[in-house]
Amino acid sequence: MLMSFALSSLRSRGKSLALTFLALLISVSVLLSVEHVRLQAQESFNRTVSDVDLIVGAPSGQLNLMLYTVFRMGSPTNNISYASYEMLQQHPQVNWAIPISLGDAHHGYRVLGTNQQYFDHYKFGNKQPLVFSQGESFKGVFGAVLGADVASALNYKLGDDIVIAHGLGAVSFQNHDDSPFTVTGILAPTGTPVDKTVHVSLQGIEAMHLPHAQLDSVLELPDTLTNPAVQPDSVTAVMVGLTSKFATFTLQRELNNYDDDRLMAILPGVALTEMWQMMSSVENLLRFISLLIMLSSLFGLSTMLLASMQQREKEIAVLRIIGAGAGTIFRLILVEAMLLAGAASVTAVALVSGVFAVAKEWLASHYGMFISANLLTLHTALVVGAIMLATLICSLLPAIDAYRGAINQRL
Amino acid sequence: MTLPEIKPEQAISLENVTYQYPKSTSRLSFPQWQVAQGERLFLYGPSGSGKTTLLNLLAGILTPDTGSVELLGKPFSGLSEGKRDKFRARHIGVVFQQFNLVSHLTVAQNIALAAHFAGGSQPGREQLVALIHALQLPAEVLIKQASQLSVGQQQRVAIARALINQPEILLVDEPTSALDADARDAFMRLLTELCEQHHTTLIFVSHDQSLSQYLDKSVALSAITTAAEASSC
């Protein structure tokens, strides 16, 4: 009875109610979006690399090394020698080692030189391996494997010839026109920076930096990785998987003190956490702003209810005289506020889910943010629960007002 | 209507009741006042003489500072607030000057709400139609919103609302002040007829003495209060 009365009463106050509802809807939507993006960004961030125990590169900062090896952002500072890679590969505690050579781009997409180890051992998300949606990995010097986004954005098919530019810009004056690569494979989407990478062989990277005359001689020979003219002498970094996780710290110390080359080994998990902490101040700012928006619209709700008390004096007098206790009036105001906030929350969940379902592709392709449209999580439930609790607290004032008014009501 | 086994003689009994207005020095006192069951009483007095305060005390919205209000043989003013609310819902019907109905509910919902607070069963459609018919209103008004009715209709629906729980006592405060002469006459006839049928004790408060012709007995408010000032001072 209380419920249907509250509904009818809310309906009768159409305009101010609609505005309050909109204010609540917007603020709940903002709060939910911020929370959702925050969690999803963290998840998408943490799933970029998996199962790698150490990343080894030239000494710089661990964030820098992490950024260019895993996120393919920024520019590598220094290389390490190819001999160091071979040392790592043969190390008894190392299970596998993936060489990475960076520094070139194709239409703004990073070009990464590597070898077969990458396709065998690189994992993302929850230890998911890379899968070819078409073709296979490169066999010769001039093969290229494209990430899913590169292939779809530039509309490449298997067998297409692509030209790789020196440097990282989308437009380069120094195109390596003479070293055309052929697409041999396209990877399935991963939701990580791999989708935006062009993978070529280490030898391919060497070949495109050769002088013209030498390159011609390479091109004349059969396309094999053993060609002595294109053997790599350095790599940017190496991703390492160990035989036993217990060896991680021992090996890290050993590599940091390595005599034949200047090396730095980092733990990806630790670096990821450190990076995320840097972002957390922005994240906290966003949360703070959305909480303020929420708070202001709750005050709006409170004001709306308080203002309506004046016009509802008669209604409350009628309720009192037919035997409604002051407690009933108090509960009525709370029920009204809760109905309003509940309706706004449900609508906001639907709205935000809808927006993310539509914007999902665009966010992934433009910002590399992989946001799921599924908002029905425990966290959302907690946020909505907190909103309802805050609503309850904010509507206490008008409810107490109504209660007092009801007590002092005269006929 | 089910009457109690032993029917108390008095519907209303006030004993040494005083009420001090908050933030004011004026005080009302009712040393001794009884109304018999089934009596239909006209209570008149000028504005500001305390008529409405008396009705508030009788309805249990206000409680006396001293003395006791007994209704139907029960110590009404000594009950807790919640119990007074319950008692009011079951045994007392009230009709105000105006604004007796919740404007955003339909007539049927307004009446049902009163039944709800009395804790009784919800009125059936036949019962509602019969009641509405007795008040000479068309059955269609049941599904109309209260705000869509004319003031005269609203006041008649207010009687239906007040009578749905078959209260022993009906308190009415200037119900005709917003009605024209014809409507007033029809309203007064209906009210007294229904009270007679249900053997309801009626306290009718007004400053308009011409209405006293419709009721059994009329009393000036000053007659029950001034005596108090004399004896208490």
Side-chain angles (χ1 to χ4, degrees), chain A residues 1 5 8-9 12 314-315 318-325 409 411, chain B residues 52 56 61 81 85 88-89 94 96 99-100 102 104-105 113 116-117 161:
Chain A
M1 201 68 187
F5 185 89
S8 162
S9 168
S12 73
K314 284 164 198 141
E315 180 184 309
V318 172
L319 286 175
R320 283 289 279 156
I321 211 66
I322 61 176
Q409 192 75 53
L411 296 186
Chain B
T52 302
N56 275 315
I61 301 284
E81 199 191 313
D85 290 334
R88 176 166 67 248
V94 181
F96 309 126
F99 311 116
N100 280 291
V102 178
H104 57 79
L105 294 182
L113 197 63
H116 166 76
F117 283 114
R161 202 276 321 275

PDB file of all heavy atoms in Angstrom, chain A residues 1 5 8-9 12 314-315 318-325 409 411, chain B residues 52 56 61 81 85 88-89 94 96 99-100 102 104-105 113 116-117 161:
ATOM      1  N   MET A   1       0.844  -1.199   0.000  1.00  0.00           N
ATOM      2  CA  MET A   1       0.000   0.000   0.000  1.00  0.00           C
ATOM      3  C   MET A   1       0.879   1.249   0.000  1.00  0.00           C
ATOM      4  O   MET A   1       0.681   2.156  -0.784  1.00  0.00           O
ATOM      5  CB  MET A   1      -0.880  -0.028   1.261  1.00  0.00           C
ATOM      6  CG  MET A   1      -2.116   0.855   1.129  1.00  0.00           C
ATOM      7  SD  MET A   1      -3.272   0.204  -0.077  1.00  0.00           S
ATOM      8  CE  MET A   1      -4.447   1.529  -0.137  1.00  0.00           C
ATOM      9  N   PHE A   5       1.119   3.910  -2.993  1.00  0.00           N
ATOM     10  CA  PHE A   5       0.848   5.312  -2.679  1.00  0.00           C
ATOM     11  C   PHE A   5       2.024   6.173  -3.109  1.00  0.00           C
ATOM     12  O   PHE A   5       1.855   7.215  -3.740  1.00  0.00           O
ATOM     13  CB  PHE A   5       0.592   5.492  -1.185  1.00  0.00           C
ATOM     14  CG  PHE A   5       0.183   6.888  -0.821  1.00  0.00           C
ATOM     15  CD1 PHE A   5      -1.145   7.239  -0.837  1.00  0.00           C
ATOM     16  CD2 PHE A   5       1.129   7.839  -0.512  1.00  0.00           C
ATOM     17  CE1 PHE A   5      -1.538   8.539  -0.538  1.00  0.00           C
ATOM     18  CE2 PHE A   5       0.751   9.144  -0.213  1.00  0.00           C
ATOM     19  CZ  PHE A   5      -0.582   9.487  -0.222  1.00  0.00           C
ATOM     20  N   SER A   8       2.109   6.583  -6.860  1.00  0.00           N
ATOM     21  CA  SER A   8       1.077   7.503  -7.332  1.00  0.00           C
ATOM     22  C   SER A   8       1.460   8.944  -7.006  1.00  0.00           C
ATOM     23  O   SER A   8       1.295   9.852  -7.827  1.00  0.00           O
ATOM     24  CB  SER A   8      -0.242   7.125  -6.671  1.00  0.00           C
ATOM     25  OG  SER A   8      -1.145   8.188  -6.750  1.00  0.00           O
ATOM     26  N   SER A   9       2.017   9.130  -5.800  1.00  0.00           N
ATOM     27  CA  SER A   9       2.421  10.467  -5.390  1.00  0.00           C
ATOM     28  C   SER A   9       3.545  10.991  -6.281  1.00  0.00           C
ATOM     29  O   SER A   9       3.551  12.151  -6.684  1.00  0.00           O
ATOM     30  CB  SER A   9       2.861  10.415  -3.935  1.00  0.00           C
ATOM     31  OG  SER A   9       3.503  11.596  -3.578  1.00  0.00           O
ATOM     32  N   SER A  12       2.289  12.068  -9.614  1.00  0.00           N
ATOM     33  CA  SER A  12       1.543  13.316  -9.620  1.00  0.00           C
ATOM     34  C   SER A  12       2.456  14.533  -9.646  1.00  0.00           C
ATOM     35  O   SER A  12       2.002  15.634  -9.886  1.00  0.00           O
ATOM     36  CB  SER A  12       0.636  13.382  -8.400  1.00  0.00           C
ATOM     37  OG  SER A  12       1.407  13.603  -7.243  1.00  0.00           O
ATOM     38  N   LYS A 314      -1.260  19.134   3.026  1.00  0.00           N
ATOM     39  CA  LYS A 314      -2.668  18.701   3.059  1.00  0.00           C
ATOM     40  C   LYS A 314      -2.766  17.194   2.921  1.00  0.00           C
ATOM     41  O   LYS A 314      -3.531  16.527   3.626  1.00  0.00           O
ATOM     42  CB  LYS A 314      -3.434  19.368   1.925  1.00  0.00           C
ATOM     43  CG  LYS A 314      -3.722  20.814   2.223  1.00  0.00           C
ATOM     44  CD  LYS A 314      -4.113  21.558   0.967  1.00  0.00           C
ATOM     45  CE  LYS A 314      -3.966  23.045   1.194  1.00  0.00           C
ATOM     46  NZ  LYS A 314      -3.438  23.708   0.000  1.00  0.00           N
ATOM     47  N   GLU A 315      -1.960  16.682   1.983  1.00  0.00           N
ATOM     48  CA  GLU A 315      -1.968  15.237   1.753  1.00  0.00           C
ATOM     49  C   GLU A 315      -1.564  14.497   3.032  1.00  0.00           C
ATOM     50  O   GLU A 315      -2.177  13.495   3.413  1.00  0.00           O
ATOM     51  CB  GLU A 315      -0.977  14.952   0.628  1.00  0.00           C
ATOM     52  CG  GLU A 315      -0.839  13.508   0.254  1.00  0.00           C
ATOM     53  CD  GLU A 315       0.232  13.331  -0.809  1.00  0.00           C
ATOM     54  OE1 GLU A 315       0.162  14.052  -1.818  1.00  0.00           O
ATOM     55  OE2 GLU A 315       1.127  12.499  -0.616  1.00  0.00           O
ATOM     56  N   VAL A 318      -4.324  14.529   5.535  1.00  0.00           N
ATOM     57  CA  VAL A 318      -5.334  13.513   5.216  1.00  0.00           C
ATOM     58  C   VAL A 318      -4.861  12.143   5.684  1.00  0.00           C
ATOM     59  O   VAL A 318      -5.605  11.400   6.335  1.00  0.00           O
ATOM     60  CB  VAL A 318      -5.637  13.487   3.695  1.00  0.00           C
ATOM     61  CG1 VAL A 318      -6.534  12.313   3.344  1.00  0.00           C
ATOM     62  CG2 VAL A 318      -6.283  14.785   3.260  1.00  0.00           C
ATOM     63  N   LEU A 319      -3.608  11.843   5.380  1.00  0.00           N
ATOM     64  CA  LEU A 319      -3.068  10.539   5.782  1.00  0.00           C
ATOM     65  C   LEU A 319      -3.119  10.383   7.302  1.00  0.00           C
ATOM     66  O   LEU A 319      -3.489   9.333   7.807  1.00  0.00           O
ATOM     67  CB  LEU A 319      -1.627  10.389   5.290  1.00  0.00           C
ATOM     68  CG  LEU A 319      -1.465  10.135   3.803  1.00  0.00           C
ATOM     69  CD1 LEU A 319       0.003  10.125   3.434  1.00  0.00           C
ATOM     70  CD2 LEU A 319      -2.103   8.808   3.413  1.00  0.00           C
ATOM     71  N   ARG A 320      -2.746  11.462   8.000  1.00  0.00           N
ATOM     72  CA  ARG A 320      -2.739  11.402   9.461  1.00  0.00           C
ATOM     73  C   ARG A 320      -4.137  11.150   9.983  1.00  0.00           C
ATOM     74  O   ARG A 320      -4.341  10.344  10.888  1.00  0.00           O
ATOM     75  CB  ARG A 320      -2.200  12.726  10.025  1.00  0.00           C
ATOM     76  CG  ARG A 320      -0.720  12.865   9.932  1.00  0.00           C
ATOM     77  CD  ARG A 320      -0.002  11.955  10.892  1.00  0.00           C
ATOM     78  NE  ARG A 320       0.040  12.504  12.251  1.00  0.00           N
ATOM     79  CZ  ARG A 320       0.179  11.769  13.333  1.00  0.00           C
ATOM     80  NH1 ARG A 320       0.245  10.469  13.233  1.00  0.00           N
ATOM     81  NH2 ARG A 320       0.197  12.331  14.517  1.00  0.00           N
ATOM     82  N   ILE A 321      -5.103  11.847   9.417  1.00  0.00           N
ATOM     83  CA  ILE A 321      -6.443  11.783   9.971  1.00  0.00           C
ATOM     84  C   ILE A 321      -7.106  10.427   9.700  1.00  0.00           C
ATOM     85  O   ILE A 321      -7.946   9.974  10.459  1.00  0.00           O
ATOM     86  CB  ILE A 321      -7.301  12.978   9.448  1.00  0.00           C
ATOM     87  CG1 ILE A 321      -8.313  13.375  10.508  1.00  0.00           C
ATOM     88  CG2 ILE A 321      -7.972  12.677   8.144  1.00  0.00           C
ATOM     89  CD1 ILE A 321      -7.652  13.934  11.762  1.00  0.00           C
ATOM     90  N   ILE A 322      -6.695   9.760   8.640  1.00  0.00           N
ATOM     91  CA  ILE A 322      -7.273   8.432   8.435  1.00  0.00           C
ATOM     92  C   ILE A 322      -6.449   7.370   9.159  1.00  0.00           C
ATOM     93  O   ILE A 322      -6.642   6.186   8.958  1.00  0.00           O
ATOM     94  CB  ILE A 322      -7.457   8.068   6.942  1.00  0.00           C
ATOM     95  CG1 ILE A 322      -6.121   8.067   6.220  1.00  0.00           C
ATOM     96  CG2 ILE A 322      -8.454   9.000   6.281  1.00  0.00           C
ATOM     97  CD1 ILE A 322      -6.228   7.631   4.778  1.00  0.00           C
ATOM     98  N   GLY A 323      -5.550   7.814  10.021  1.00  0.00           N
ATOM     99  CA  GLY A 323      -4.915   6.859  10.925  1.00  0.00           C
ATOM    100  C   GLY A 323      -3.484   6.492  10.591  1.00  0.00           C
ATOM    101  O   GLY A 323      -2.934   5.579  11.187  1.00  0.00           O
ATOM    102  N   ALA A 324      -2.860   7.205   9.626  1.00  0.00           N
ATOM    103  CA  ALA A 324      -1.457   6.909   9.342  1.00  0.00           C
ATOM    104  C   ALA A 324      -0.605   7.516  10.447  1.00  0.00           C
ATOM    105  O   ALA A 324      -0.764   8.686  10.770  1.00  0.00           O
ATOM    106  CB  ALA A 324      -1.057   7.501   8.002  1.00  0.00           C
ATOM    107  N   GLY A 325       0.267   6.731  11.025  1.00  0.00           N
ATOM    108  CA  GLY A 325       1.134   7.239  12.081  1.00  0.00           C
ATOM    109  C   GLY A 325       2.210   8.122  11.502  1.00  0.00           C
ATOM    110  O   GLY A 325       2.461   8.103  10.294  1.00  0.00           O
ATOM    111  N   GLN A 409       0.921  18.555  12.993  1.00  0.00           N
ATOM    112  CA  GLN A 409      -0.177  18.866  12.079  1.00  0.00           C
ATOM    113  C   GLN A 409      -1.473  19.109  12.839  1.00  0.00           C
ATOM    114  O   GLN A 409      -1.841  18.348  13.715  1.00  0.00           O
ATOM    115  CB  GLN A 409      -0.364  17.681  11.129  1.00  0.00           C
ATOM    116  CG  GLN A 409      -1.258  17.966   9.962  1.00  0.00           C
ATOM    117  CD  GLN A 409      -0.550  18.819   8.947  1.00  0.00           C
ATOM    118  OE1 GLN A 409       0.530  18.484   8.522  1.00  0.00           O
ATOM    119  NE2 GLN A 409      -1.172  19.917   8.582  1.00  0.00           N
ATOM    120  N   LEU A 411      -5.707  19.911  12.350  1.00  0.00           N
ATOM    121  CA  LEU A 411      -6.759  19.613  11.362  1.00  0.00           C
ATOM    122  C   LEU A 411      -7.025  20.833  10.496  1.00  0.00           C
ATOM    123  O   LEU A 411      -6.947  21.925  10.969  1.00  0.00           O
ATOM    124  CB  LEU A 411      -8.052  19.234  12.084  1.00  0.00           C
ATOM    125  CG  LEU A 411      -7.980  17.981  12.892  1.00  0.00           C
ATOM    126  CD1 LEU A 411      -9.346  17.646  13.439  1.00  0.00           C
ATOM    127  CD2 LEU A 411      -7.468  16.833  12.064  1.00  0.00           C
TER     128      LEU A 411
ATOM    129  N   THR B  52     -11.381  23.973  16.646  1.00  0.00           N
ATOM    130  CA  THR B  52     -10.493  23.043  15.955  1.00  0.00           C
ATOM    131  C   THR B  52      -9.560  22.339  16.932  1.00  0.00           C
ATOM    132  O   THR B  52      -9.271  21.158  16.782  1.00  0.00           O
ATOM    133  CB  THR B  52      -9.704  23.795  14.870  1.00  0.00           C
ATOM    134  OG1 THR B  52     -10.643  24.385  13.983  1.00  0.00           O
ATOM    135  CG2 THR B  52      -8.824  22.861  14.082  1.00  0.00           C
ATOM    136  N   ASN B  56      -9.013  18.433  17.426  1.00  0.00           N
ATOM    137  CA  ASN B  56      -7.680  17.812  17.446  1.00  0.00           C
ATOM    138  C   ASN B  56      -7.496  16.938  18.671  1.00  0.00           C
ATOM    139  O   ASN B  56      -6.900  15.863  18.597  1.00  0.00           O
ATOM    140  CB  ASN B  56      -6.601  18.887  17.418  1.00  0.00           C
ATOM    141  CG  ASN B  56      -6.275  19.330  16.005  1.00  0.00           C
ATOM    142  OD1 ASN B  56      -6.118  18.496  15.134  1.00  0.00           O
ATOM    143  ND2 ASN B  56      -6.206  20.622  15.784  1.00  0.00           N
ATOM    144  N   ILE B  61      -4.882  13.953  17.661  1.00  0.00           N
ATOM    145  CA  ILE B  61      -3.746  14.601  16.999  1.00  0.00           C
ATOM    146  C   ILE B  61      -2.991  15.405  18.059  1.00  0.00           C
ATOM    147  O   ILE B  61      -1.780  15.480  18.047  1.00  0.00           O
ATOM    148  CB  ILE B  61      -4.227  15.539  15.866  1.00  0.00           C
ATOM    149  CG1 ILE B  61      -5.020  14.764  14.831  1.00  0.00           C
ATOM    150  CG2 ILE B  61      -3.066  16.289  15.235  1.00  0.00           C
ATOM    151  CD1 ILE B  61      -4.242  13.914  13.899  1.00  0.00           C
ATOM    152  N   GLU B  81       1.055   7.077  21.112  1.00  0.00           N
ATOM    153  CA  GLU B  81       0.722   7.735  19.847  1.00  0.00           C
ATOM    154  C   GLU B  81       0.298   6.727  18.779  1.00  0.00           C
ATOM    155  O   GLU B  81      -0.692   6.932  18.076  1.00  0.00           O
ATOM    156  CB  GLU B  81       1.932   8.531  19.377  1.00  0.00           C
ATOM    157  CG  GLU B  81       1.555   9.580  18.365  1.00  0.00           C
ATOM    158  CD  GLU B  81       2.765  10.183  17.696  1.00  0.00           C
ATOM    159  OE1 GLU B  81       3.713  10.530  18.414  1.00  0.00           O
ATOM    160  OE2 GLU B  81       2.769  10.274  16.459  1.00  0.00           O
ATOM    161  N   ASP B  85      -3.279   6.455  16.857  1.00  0.00           N
ATOM    162  CA  ASP B  85      -3.431   6.448  15.390  1.00  0.00           C
ATOM    163  C   ASP B  85      -4.332   5.306  14.962  1.00  0.00           C
ATOM    164  O   ASP B  85      -5.204   5.451  14.113  1.00  0.00           O
ATOM    165  CB  ASP B  85      -2.062   6.300  14.715  1.00  0.00           C
ATOM    166  CG  ASP B  85      -1.198   7.555  14.864  1.00  0.00           C
ATOM    167  OD1 ASP B  85      -1.782   8.644  15.023  1.00  0.00           O
ATOM    168  OD2 ASP B  85       0.031   7.429  14.836  1.00  0.00           O
ATOM    169  N   ARG B  88      -7.919   5.910  16.029  1.00  0.00           N
ATOM    170  CA  ARG B  88      -8.528   6.909  15.146  1.00  0.00           C
ATOM    171  C   ARG B  88      -8.939   6.278  13.817  1.00  0.00           C
ATOM    172  O   ARG B  88     -10.027   6.499  13.325  1.00  0.00           O
ATOM    173  CB  ARG B  88      -7.547   8.057  14.903  1.00  0.00           C
ATOM    174  CG  ARG B  88      -8.055   9.094  13.926  1.00  0.00           C
ATOM    175  CD  ARG B  88      -7.243  10.361  13.955  1.00  0.00           C
ATOM    176  NE  ARG B  88      -5.886  10.141  13.468  1.00  0.00           N
ATOM    177  CZ  ARG B  88      -4.810  10.208  14.230  1.00  0.00           C
ATOM    178  NH1 ARG B  88      -4.912  10.465  15.511  1.00  0.00           N
ATOM    179  NH2 ARG B  88      -3.625   9.998  13.718  1.00  0.00           N
ATOM    180  N   ALA B  89      -8.029   5.441  13.284  1.00  0.00           N
ATOM    181  CA  ALA B  89      -8.320   4.809  11.998  1.00  0.00           C
ATOM    182  C   ALA B  89      -9.584   3.946  12.091  1.00  0.00           C
ATOM    183  O   ALA B  89     -10.396   3.917  11.174  1.00  0.00           O
ATOM    184  CB  ALA B  89      -7.138   3.955  11.560  1.00  0.00           C
ATOM    185  N   VAL B  94     -13.266  11.583  10.125  1.00  0.00           N
ATOM    186  CA  VAL B  94     -13.080  13.036  10.167  1.00  0.00           C
ATOM    187  C   VAL B  94     -13.355  13.632   8.791  1.00  0.00           C
ATOM    188  O   VAL B  94     -12.913  13.092   7.780  1.00  0.00           O
ATOM    189  CB  VAL B  94     -11.638  13.406  10.609  1.00  0.00           C
ATOM    190  CG1 VAL B  94     -11.467  14.916  10.679  1.00  0.00           C
ATOM    191  CG2 VAL B  94     -11.295  12.777  11.945  1.00  0.00           C
ATOM    192  N   PHE B  96     -12.942  17.416   6.979  1.00  0.00           N
ATOM    193  CA  PHE B  96     -12.534  18.817   7.158  1.00  0.00           C
ATOM    194  C   PHE B  96     -13.348  19.726   6.264  1.00  0.00           C
ATOM    195  O   PHE B  96     -14.107  19.303   5.414  1.00  0.00           O
ATOM    196  CB  PHE B  96     -11.082  19.074   6.713  1.00  0.00           C
ATOM    197  CG  PHE B  96     -10.057  18.155   7.255  1.00  0.00           C
ATOM    198  CD1 PHE B  96      -9.203  17.480   6.400  1.00  0.00           C
ATOM    199  CD2 PHE B  96      -9.924  17.996   8.604  1.00  0.00           C
ATOM    200  CE1 PHE B  96      -8.226  16.677   6.888  1.00  0.00           C
ATOM    201  CE2 PHE B  96      -8.929  17.183   9.096  1.00  0.00           C
ATOM    202  CZ  PHE B  96      -8.079  16.517   8.237  1.00  0.00           C
ATOM    203  N   PHE B  99     -10.101  19.864   1.244  1.00  0.00           N
ATOM    204  CA  PHE B  99      -8.915  19.011   1.082  1.00  0.00           C
ATOM    205  C   PHE B  99      -8.965  17.758   1.957  1.00  0.00           C
ATOM    206  O   PHE B  99      -8.096  17.516   2.774  1.00  0.00           O
ATOM    207  CB  PHE B  99      -7.622  19.795   1.380  1.00  0.00           C
ATOM    208  CG  PHE B  99      -7.544  21.102   0.683  1.00  0.00           C
ATOM    209  CD1 PHE B  99      -7.511  22.293   1.387  1.00  0.00           C
ATOM    210  CD2 PHE B  99      -7.528  21.139  -0.711  1.00  0.00           C
ATOM    211  CE1 PHE B  99      -7.448  23.497   0.728  1.00  0.00           C
ATOM    212  CE2 PHE B  99      -7.463  22.361  -1.374  1.00  0.00           C
ATOM    213  CZ  PHE B  99      -7.427  23.533  -0.649  1.00  0.00           C
ATOM    214  N   ASN B 100     -10.028  17.004   1.771  1.00  0.00           N
ATOM    215  CA  ASN B 100     -10.179  15.789   2.554  1.00  0.00           C
ATOM    216  C   ASN B 100      -9.563  14.584   1.864  1.00  0.00           C
ATOM    217  O   ASN B 100      -9.429  13.539   2.468  1.00  0.00           O
ATOM    218  CB  ASN B 100     -11.646  15.494   2.758  1.00  0.00           C
ATOM    219  CG  ASN B 100     -12.218  16.321   3.863  1.00  0.00           C
ATOM    220  OD1 ASN B 100     -11.877  16.103   5.016  1.00  0.00           O
ATOM    221  ND2 ASN B 100     -13.033  17.304   3.518  1.00  0.00           N
ATOM    222  N   VAL B 102      -6.748  12.672  -0.964  1.00  0.00           N
ATOM    223  CA  VAL B 102      -5.421  12.729  -1.573  1.00  0.00           C
ATOM    224  C   VAL B 102      -5.659  12.948  -3.066  1.00  0.00           C
ATOM    225  O   VAL B 102      -6.240  12.103  -3.739  1.00  0.00           O
ATOM    226  CB  VAL B 102      -4.644  11.438  -1.321  1.00  0.00           C
ATOM    227  CG1 VAL B 102      -3.296  11.491  -1.993  1.00  0.00           C
ATOM    228  CG2 VAL B 102      -4.490  11.204   0.168  1.00  0.00           C
ATOM    229  N   HIS B 104      -4.049  12.986  -5.841  1.00  0.00           N
ATOM    230  CA  HIS B 104      -3.545  12.184  -6.969  1.00  0.00           C
ATOM    231  C   HIS B 104      -4.066  10.755  -6.982  1.00  0.00           C
ATOM    232  O   HIS B 104      -3.725   9.984  -7.874  1.00  0.00           O
ATOM    233  CB  HIS B 104      -2.018  12.212  -7.004  1.00  0.00           C
ATOM    234  CG  HIS B 104      -1.368  11.746  -5.744  1.00  0.00           C
ATOM    235  ND1 HIS B 104      -1.245  10.419  -5.440  1.00  0.00           N
ATOM    236  CD2 HIS B 104      -0.841  12.435  -4.707  1.00  0.00           C
ATOM    237  CE1 HIS B 104      -0.638  10.326  -4.263  1.00  0.00           C
ATOM    238  NE2 HIS B 104      -0.382  11.529  -3.795  1.00  0.00           N
ATOM    239  N   LEU B 105      -4.892  10.410  -5.992  1.00  0.00           N
ATOM    240  CA  LEU B 105      -5.475   9.060  -5.998  1.00  0.00           C
ATOM    241  C   LEU B 105      -6.909   9.133  -6.518  1.00  0.00           C
ATOM    242  O   LEU B 105      -7.539  10.182  -6.459  1.00  0.00           O
ATOM    243  CB  LEU B 105      -5.484   8.483  -4.576  1.00  0.00           C
ATOM    244  CG  LEU B 105      -4.138   8.188  -3.923  1.00  0.00           C
ATOM    245  CD1 LEU B 105      -4.358   7.583  -2.546  1.00  0.00           C
ATOM    246  CD2 LEU B 105      -3.300   7.255  -4.758  1.00  0.00           C
ATOM    247  N   LEU B 113      -7.663   3.445   0.965  1.00  0.00           N
ATOM    248  CA  LEU B 113      -6.543   3.811   1.833  1.00  0.00           C
ATOM    249  C   LEU B 113      -7.007   3.916   3.288  1.00  0.00           C
ATOM    250  O   LEU B 113      -6.314   3.453   4.201  1.00  0.00           O
ATOM    251  CB  LEU B 113      -5.970   5.154   1.359  1.00  0.00           C
ATOM    252  CG  LEU B 113      -4.580   5.513   1.858  1.00  0.00           C
ATOM    253  CD1 LEU B 113      -3.556   4.516   1.350  1.00  0.00           C
ATOM    254  CD2 LEU B 113      -4.207   6.920   1.394  1.00  0.00           C
ATOM    255  N   HIS B 116      -7.400   0.602   4.587  1.00  0.00           N
ATOM    256  CA  HIS B 116      -6.083  -0.005   4.814  1.00  0.00           C
ATOM    257  C   HIS B 116      -5.534   0.368   6.185  1.00  0.00           C
ATOM    258  O   HIS B 116      -5.056  -0.476   6.935  1.00  0.00           O
ATOM    259  CB  HIS B 116      -5.122   0.441   3.718  1.00  0.00           C
ATOM    260  CG  HIS B 116      -3.681   0.156   4.028  1.00  0.00           C
ATOM    261  ND1 HIS B 116      -3.148  -1.106   3.931  1.00  0.00           N
ATOM    262  CD2 HIS B 116      -2.683   0.965   4.468  1.00  0.00           C
ATOM    263  CE1 HIS B 116      -1.878  -1.061   4.287  1.00  0.00           C
ATOM    264  NE2 HIS B 116      -1.570   0.179   4.618  1.00  0.00           N
ATOM    265  N   PHE B 117      -5.610   1.668   6.520  1.00  0.00           N
ATOM    266  CA  PHE B 117      -5.028   2.101   7.796  1.00  0.00           C
ATOM    267  C   PHE B 117      -5.826   1.590   8.983  1.00  0.00           C
ATOM    268  O   PHE B 117      -5.293   1.455  10.076  1.00  0.00           O
ATOM    269  CB  PHE B 117      -4.880   3.619   7.832  1.00  0.00           C
ATOM    270  CG  PHE B 117      -3.708   4.106   7.047  1.00  0.00           C
ATOM    271  CD1 PHE B 117      -3.867   4.878   5.912  1.00  0.00           C
ATOM    272  CD2 PHE B 117      -2.420   3.754   7.443  1.00  0.00           C
ATOM    273  CE1 PHE B 117      -2.774   5.301   5.184  1.00  0.00           C
ATOM    274  CE2 PHE B 117      -1.317   4.186   6.713  1.00  0.00           C
ATOM    275  CZ  PHE B 117      -1.498   4.951   5.579  1.00  0.00           C
ATOM    276  N   ARG B 161     -15.423   8.361   2.613  1.00  0.00           N
ATOM    277  CA  ARG B 161     -14.111   7.982   3.137  1.00  0.00           C
ATOM    278  C   ARG B 161     -14.160   7.857   4.656  1.00  0.00           C
ATOM    279  O   ARG B 161     -13.659   6.901   5.248  1.00  0.00           O
ATOM    280  CB  ARG B 161     -13.098   9.063   2.719  1.00  0.00           C
ATOM    281  CG  ARG B 161     -11.645   8.688   2.673  1.00  0.00           C
ATOM    282  CD  ARG B 161     -10.919   8.774   4.001  1.00  0.00           C
ATOM    283  NE  ARG B 161     -11.302   9.904   4.825  1.00  0.00           N
ATOM    284  CZ  ARG B 161     -10.798  11.111   4.723  1.00  0.00           C
ATOM    285  NH1 ARG B 161      -9.910  11.389   3.811  1.00  0.00           N
ATOM    286  NH2 ARG B 161     -11.188  12.076   5.544  1.00  0.00           N
TER     287      ARG B 161
END
